[in-house]
Amino acid sequence: MKPIKFIVALLIISITSNAQIRLPKLISDNIVLQRDQPIKIWGWASPKEKIELSFNKKKYKTTTSDDGKWELMLPPQPAGTGYEFSLKGKNDIVIKNIAFGDVFLCIGQSNMVHQMDIHNITYAKDIETANYPEIRHLFIPTRTNLVGKQDDLSDAVTWKSANPKDVGRFSAVAYFFARNIYEKYKVPIGLINASVGGTPIEAWISEAGFQHFPELVKTVAKNKDTASVNRANRPNFPNAVPRNVPIDLGMTEKWFSPDSKSQHWRPINIPGYWEDQGLKDLNGSVWYKKEIIIPKNMTETTAKVHLGRIVDADELYINGKKVAQTTYQYPQRRYNLQLGVLKEGKNLFVIKVSNTAGKGGFVPDKPYMIEANGQTLDLKGTWEYKVGEVYRPRNFGFGGGIVAQNQPTALYNAMVAPAENLNIRGVLWYQGESNAGRPAEYEALQLAQINNLRQNFRNPNLPFLFVQLPNFMDYNYLPSESDWAKLREAQLHAAQKSTNTALAVAIDLGEWNDIHPDNKKSVGDRLAIAASNLIYGEKVASSGPIFKQQTIENDRIILEFDHIGKGLSTNDGEKLSDFSVAGFDKKFVWADAKIEDNKIIVSSNEVKNPKYVRYAWADNPINPNLINAEGLPASPFRTDGETLDETKPWKGKKCAVVLTYDDALNVHLDHAITLLDSLSMKGTFYIAGSFPGFKNRMNEWKRAADRGHELGNHTLFHPCDASLPGRSWVNPENDLSKYTLKRITDEIRQTNTLLESVDGKKQRTFAFTCGDTKVGGVEFMNDLKNDLAGARAVRARMQKFDEINPYDFDSYMINGETGEQLIKLVKQAQNEGKLLVFLFHGVGGEHSLNVSLPAHRELLMYLKENENEIYIDTMLNVAEHNKALKK
């Protein structure tokens, strides 16, 4: 053995032989362990080291494995406190003040993070009177791991009990949940708080949870290459020149000083954003100043300055001295002033505000005042301002860089996985804000997360309680679309599709101008009510009304609900609000709604044939006042949304139908798209780039694509094989039998480029013109699979999901069939669970192959009326759905 290798080996032997017993950082003084379930205690020591654990006058022994790991199982224990564990090996460890009770894993983003301290004005008395030694909280600091699950936390953590000194660091939602449960059942409560602000749900799922998400599986695999991740995050400034560091004139000229002689200050209002007051698109620092007259009695004690919320960072100077600062936008500014800071008479208040993106300044509808000796002084009104620094637009040059905490598995691996050996009573989940911009996938991710946690914690029935997103952002006094509403819908569907779950509706607990609403107690209490029913078996109304079904009767819609408790009501004694109604066109208008026999009757004079209803469908509904008699609010809902299961063929429906239209005819724009849009349905229109119906109306095709219709590729010149019988009509210039492989593939690629210039999309499908798939006996699609997502042929047959070749879809070419005949084909697809693709040319004319307008309308109306059973989509979306599921 070489000398250096020998020395290293000796060091390893020496370290191993001296290894001492080590427990995971979670297991420490004041821990709460789950009562009434077997208890695993585990850790590390030297290989083959004998370990002895003493507990409750009994001894438990084991020997570590070759890799130094050990574990012991203790029998279930009843609820109680004041216990100790002592462990002996090469060293001794004592864990003191152990409690056995109910342990809850609290995960999510900032609204789960938000500590009692951040809400210390609203909950000052709750903090002051916190005296619950049996409610204990463990906060896990933010850490990430992209490679795999960690078996221990990276940082030392401590369990804290609920007392005035320590409760300020508790998650406010989790604390009020725990206090409510403890006061009811007198059982110790342990809260493991693993939550990180601004993070997506994907970061809180382990790798095994992504088996039905192929793109996320790829991302997880890619992120395991640490060298690649490091390269992606390495700054690269190949042509960089030294950048002058901006100087804040306010600091160099001391604008905060009463002696400052700076001039040219301009008026500005607090509260308000500076971009709304004449400072266009400014990122930088803005200084505000004002002389405040303080009466004598307010200077004789400590004081508090309330500065609402400020975007992003601020520094407060009073009479030339810096007295407070906050470095980011979310905390409310509540600054304590020591005796002597304020003086009788004139006081110079100067606030430096720094902002890096979006609007900067003072958030409206928040408190702005000085409070002292029982008096208040209003700080709202006109101040003066000057710009101290303007940030230059910067290109950081990170290219493909990633933010680790936003990556799939990253937070689960580092913050949740180390707790998997513990038994827990349930999960509290408050997240969704970071996924609100892409709500379509959230339901499937939420279900995957629930199943993933149950698998990882070895409990298929692990209770899962989550908070539906509250109201937030501007009020809209017209019915509108809303990603926040769609995400709430995804949360509701996830709760309905998974057992042992409960949803706490918070549609009345938000604030229009604060993504972190102050009312955390009501959120925690509603979670506790849900837990009382779901976990503790108490027969209480634990949910507000949940939409069940609708019945259409002439010009009105009758709505029925589950969880009505002792009856439907309103929270303000006024008539029902925030209901809207629409016909098949989905053009929603406000509706009249009334309660009759615990059902709701919805109608509108503007909609004679109503089909759909929405309730509280907005980012921030104006007055969502539907409750049950127990006071719990109804979940927002809509009856026009599709319930799709991305993990099943046809997205969980009986069959699929695709409506395709060839040759870019005028009648497609005038007849087909007009009807499709009125029914909120999408079709695929195969474009031959040289055809007049496309060239002359390109802007209208662009608008159709903007509304969700697919512009498919039908080549530039629509070539067909003239050598086949009955093809004498083919123009010699467009005779596919004379084409080379290169010419046809070039034409198709050129059409892709042309269509991308119209709709901006890179993915689309192709339709074989005349159904011809070969050039010179060669299947030309083999050379185009990287350019196209799929292709449609012409064969009158239907296909089962597993029979489909996405590059050779079958289709029925329609010519003169009646509406009854078309519907008969759809019913066959429904009965057999197959894909049916319609191929239309003329729609009410313009082509020798034609479908009449009545027949076309009759078909589409049947599809619309049965859309709960039929998956209706574009050829592109069906192709991608098929390929994704087969992976």
Side-chain angles (χ1 to χ4, degrees):
M1 183 181 290
K2 293 184 178 180
I4 190 158
K5 290 185 178 180
F6 179 71
I7 293 170
V8 170
L10 284 177
L11 283 171
I12 293 172
I13 292 169
S14 174
I15 292 170
T16 302
S17 63
N18 291 318
Q20 295 186 329
I21 303 173
R22 179 169 65 86
L23 288 167
K25 297 181 179 70
L26 284 168
I27 301 179
S28 57
D29 291 349
N30 307 310
I31 188 174
V32 181
L33 293 168
Q34 182 57 46
R35 63 173 173 143
D36 301 331
Q37 294 185 26
I39 299 161
K40 179 186 285 189
I41 305 296
W42 73 100
W44 302 267
S46 301
K48 302 302 180 183
E49 184 172 350
K50 294 185 187 317
I51 309 292
E52 181 180 279
L53 184 149
S54 298
F55 166 67
N56 207 16
K57 300 181 180 179
K58 292 185 179 179
K59 297 185 183 299
Y60 303 86
K61 298 180 180 181
T62 189
T63 302
T64 61
S65 59
D66 291 339
D67 59 2
K69 295 180 180 179
W70 59 269
E71 63 180 52
L72 287 162
M73 295 299 298
L74 277 61
Q77 301 295 318
T81 58
Y83 294 93
E84 283 190 2
F85 289 154
S86 63
L87 291 106
K88 291 183 177 297
K90 294 180 180 177
N91 61 308
D92 295 344
I93 296 176
V94 177
I95 305 298
K96 300 177 180 178
N97 196 27
I98 298 167
F100 295 100
D102 289 338
V103 181
F104 291 90
L105 175 64
C106 311
I107 48 178
Q109 57 182 105
S110 51
N111 276 307
M112 182 61 83
V113 175
H114 259 224
Q115 304 98 337
M116 292 288 287
D117 273 348
I118 294 176
H119 304 273
N120 59 357
I121 299 296
T122 302
Y123 299 120
K125 186 173 181 181
D126 297 279
I127 293 171
E128 180 185 345
T129 59
N131 183 23
Y132 297 92
E134 294 183 332
I135 298 177
R136 303 175 188 180
H137 180 272
L138 181 85
F139 179 74
I140 298 177
T142 301
R143 289 292 182 270
T144 61
N145 191 310
L146 298 176
V147 177
K149 292 182 181 180
Q150 291 183 195
D151 58 7
D152 198 8
L153 297 172
S154 301
D155 305 272
V157 291
T158 55
W159 288 85
K160 299 290 186 180
S161 63
N163 57 66
K165 175 186 173 187
D166 294 320
V167 77
R169 303 303 296 166
F170 280 41
S171 159
V173 166
Y175 172 66
F176 286 118
F177 166 83
R179 191 178 77 177
N180 189 310
I181 293 295
Y182 178 78
E183 288 180 340
K184 276 186 181 179
Y185 306 112
K186 302 302 180 186
V187 173
I189 302 293
L191 304 167
I192 300 175
N193 183 2
S195 48
V196 179
T199 53
I201 189 173
E202 294 92 328
W204 296 103
I205 303 173
S206 74
E207 183 174 357
F210 293 120
Q211 56 184 316
H212 297 302
F213 303 88
E215 293 305 313
L216 291 174
V217 170
K218 290 179 185 176
T219 301
V220 171
K222 182 179 178 181
N223 286 345
K224 289 182 180 182
D225 182 352
T226 53
S228 175
V229 170
N230 290 339
R231 284 194 301 272
N233 283 338
R234 185 180 302 137
N236 181 21
F237 303 100
N239 300 311
V241 295
R243 184 175 66 85
N244 292 328
V245 177
I247 298 173
D248 191 307
L249 290 177
M251 296 302 296
T252 58
E253 296 181 3
K254 299 183 178 179
W255 292 349
F256 53 82
S257 171
D259 299 326
S260 172
K261 305 299 182 184
S262 65
Q263 301 183 59
H264 307 300
W265 292 74
R266 295 183 172 90
I268 195 168
N269 284 321
I270 291 178
Y273 300 107
W274 61 62
E275 279 87 349
D276 297 332
Q277 302 183 70
L279 285 76
K280 184 177 180 180
D281 299 331
L282 173 68
N283 293 327
S285 70
V286 177
W287 293 70
Y288 296 70
K289 76 171 183 177
K290 187 173 185 175
E291 281 191 343
I292 309 293
I293 307 299
I294 306 292
K296 181 179 180 182
N297 65 332
M298 292 185 72
T299 67
E300 295 172 343
T301 183
T302 58
K304 180 167 288 189
V305 178
H306 299 255
L307 291 178
R309 271 189 55 228
I310 297 174
V311 183
D312 291 315
D314 65 286
E315 299 175 12
L316 172 62
Y317 297 82
I318 298 178
N319 299 323
K321 294 184 179 180
K322 182 175 175 179
V323 296
Q325 72 173 41
T326 302
T327 58
Y328 64 113
Q329 64 170 297
Y330 292 118
Q332 291 203 35
R333 274 52 171 187
R334 296 156 176 166
Y335 295 141
N336 294 313
L337 304 181
Q338 297 298 316
L339 180 64
V341 172
L342 298 178
K343 63 182 182 180
E344 182 182 1
K346 292 181 180 179
N347 289 256
L348 178 65
F349 277 58
V350 178
I351 308 167
K352 175 190 172 185
V353 179
S354 303
N355 174 251
T356 57
K359 291 184 176 183
F362 296 78
V363 176
D365 200 20
K366 294 289 181 184
Y368 295 89
M369 62 183 181
I370 305 169
E371 184 180 13
N373 212 11
Q375 282 188 257
T376 60
L377 278 178
D378 195 354
L379 293 177
K380 297 191 294 293
T382 302
W383 290 51
E384 294 180 293
Y385 85 90
K386 282 185 74 171
V387 176
E389 179 179 344
V390 178
Y391 300 156
R392 300 178 184 179
R394 289 178 291 173
N395 179 4
F396 287 90
F398 280 91
I402 65 171
V403 178
Q405 70 180 35
N406 295 338
Q407 294 298 302
T409 76
L411 297 173
Y412 187 96
N413 286 343
M415 298 175 66
V416 179
E420 286 181 354
N421 280 330
L422 294 176
N423 284 323
I424 59 176
R425 192 66 190 268
V427 176
L428 306 183
W429 170 251
Y430 192 166
Q431 192 275 338
E433 299 91 336
S434 290
N435 286 83
R438 40 195 179 93
E441 60 202 24
Y442 194 85
E443 178 186 329
L445 286 167
Q446 184 83 85
L447 289 168
Q449 183 204 30
I450 293 169
N451 293 331
N452 183 237
L453 283 164
R454 288 173 173 172
Q455 180 180 7
N456 292 341
F457 281 85
R458 308 162 307 283
N459 184 351
N461 297 309
L462 181 67
F464 192 96
L465 298 89
F466 46 109
V467 181
Q468 193 180 54
L469 286 185
N471 47 310
F472 175 55
M473 294 182 285
D474 295 338
Y475 295 106
N476 191 336
Y477 280 81
L478 290 173
S480 60
E481 296 300 326
S482 164
D483 282 345
W484 274 59
K486 290 176 183 176
L487 195 127
R488 293 186 196 109
E489 178 183 59
Q491 293 173 315
L492 173 62
H493 288 169
Q496 293 172 321
K497 290 181 179 181
S498 185
T499 60
N500 245 31
T501 61
L503 182 70
V505 175
I507 196 62
D508 57 335
L509 301 180
E511 299 176 27
W512 77 268
N513 58 2
D514 200 335
I515 201 170
H516 304 118
D518 211 26
N519 190 349
K520 294 292 189 280
K521 181 178 184 300
S522 294
V523 177
D525 286 345
R526 287 180 188 174
L527 285 169
I529 292 170
S532 294
N533 180 278
L534 181 68
I535 297 175
Y536 295 95
E538 191 174 334
K539 301 301 181 184
V540 295
S542 59
S543 169
I546 302 295
F547 169 72
K548 181 180 180 182
Q549 63 183 21
Q550 73 170 27
T551 304
I552 300 173
E553 287 188 358
N554 300 319
D555 61 349
R556 65 181 196 164
I557 297 179
I558 301 171
L559 305 174
E560 296 180 54
F561 295 82
D562 291 322
H563 302 288
I564 63 173
K566 294 179 181 178
L568 297 179
S569 185
T570 59
N571 62 14
D572 53 9
E574 302 290 332
K575 70 176 186 178
L576 289 169
S577 179
D578 276 85
F579 281 88
S580 59
V581 66
F584 272 149
D585 60 1
K586 294 190 179 180
K587 294 179 180 177
F588 283 87
V589 299
W590 293 125
D592 295 318
K594 57 184 179 180
I595 299 170
E596 290 185 1
D597 297 326
N598 284 323
K599 298 178 183 178
I600 294 178
I601 314 300
V602 181
S603 62
S604 169
N605 292 332
E606 298 181 55
V607 182
K608 299 303 181 185
N609 296 296
K611 299 296 179 184
Y612 306 115
V613 172
R614 291 179 174 181
Y615 169 68
W617 194 262
D619 296 335
N620 191 0
I622 299 163
N623 181 31
N625 62 351
L626 175 60
I627 61 171
N628 56 22
E630 288 75 9
L632 293 173
S635 172
F637 68 90
R638 60 175 172 171
T639 67
D640 61 297
E642 287 196 278
T643 302
L644 300 177
D645 187 341
E646 300 286 345
T647 67
K648 294 180 180 178
W650 318 138
K651 301 193 176 184
K653 298 192 177 186
K654 285 186 176 181
C655 69
V657 172
V658 179
L659 303 164
T660 70
Y661 303 79
D662 283 12
D663 298 349
L665 305 176
N666 291 295
V667 291
H668 296 161
L669 287 166
D670 297 334
H671 299 160
I673 288 178
T674 300
L675 180 55
L676 286 166
D677 285 347
S678 73
L679 299 175
S680 299
M681 295 166 63
K682 310 303 176 192
T684 294
F685 294 83
Y686 286 111
I687 306 295
S690 63
F691 278 32
F694 176 68
K695 292 192 298 181
N696 298 339
R697 304 180 70 175
M698 198 174 294
N699 284 335
E700 292 172 80
W701 286 108
K702 180 183 186 302
R703 287 193 289 272
D706 290 342
R707 294 195 297 274
H709 301 291
E710 180 192 358
L711 303 188
N713 188 323
H714 215 28
T715 80
L716 288 176
F717 302 112
H718 196 286
C720 294
D721 189 343
S723 67
L724 297 176
R727 298 281 184 89
S728 59
W729 51 268
V730 176
N731 186 322
E733 293 180 0
N734 298 338
D735 183 353
L736 187 63
S737 66
K738 308 298 184 188
Y739 271 43
T740 63
L741 182 63
K742 183 178 186 305
R743 179 177 173 184
I744 187 62
T745 54
D746 283 351
E747 266 194 33
I748 292 170
R749 290 185 175 117
Q750 287 172 36
T751 305
N752 267 359
T753 302
L754 169 65
L755 294 177
E756 184 181 351
S757 72
V758 176
D759 64 15
K761 298 171 183 174
K762 293 185 178 297
Q763 285 293 301
R764 67 190 78 250
T765 59
F766 174 75
F768 295 105
T769 51
C770 300
D772 300 332
T773 64
K774 296 181 180 180
V775 170
V778 177
E779 298 279 355
F780 57 81
M781 187 52 59
N782 291 331
D783 289 356
L784 292 163
K785 290 183 177 179
N786 290 330
D787 302 272
L788 295 160
R792 191 216 65 202
V794 185
R795 285 182 303 271
R797 67 182 186 187
M798 303 178 199
Q799 294 170 291
K800 291 183 178 180
F801 192 87
D802 293 335
E803 296 172 343
I804 289 174
N805 172 2
Y807 291 94
D808 194 14
F809 283 104
D810 293 334
S811 67
Y812 281 75
M813 187 167 64
I814 302 307
N815 184 23
E817 283 84 353
T818 65
E820 184 179 355
Q821 289 171 316
L822 299 177
I823 292 170
K824 184 178 179 181
L825 288 172
V826 178
K827 289 180 177 178
Q828 179 185 341
Q830 288 174 273
N831 291 332
E832 297 177 3
K834 291 182 178 179
L835 168 68
L836 167 60
V837 181
F838 285 106
L839 163 53
F840 300 106
H841 290 84
V843 181
E846 201 181 348
H847 200 284
S848 59
L849 302 173
N850 185 58
V851 61
S852 71
L853 290 180
H856 184 253
R857 180 176 180 81
E858 194 175 340
L859 167 67
L860 266 59
M861 292 299 291
Y862 178 84
L863 293 174
K864 187 65 182 180
E865 290 166 358
N866 292 273
E867 65 180 351
N868 61 322
E869 292 187 358
I870 304 169
Y871 171 44
I872 308 160
D873 213 334
T874 63
M875 197 84 263
L876 172 63
N877 289 341
V878 169
E880 292 190 331
H881 170 56
N882 183 268
K883 288 192 286 187
L885 235 58
K886 285 181 177 177
K887 285 182 181 180

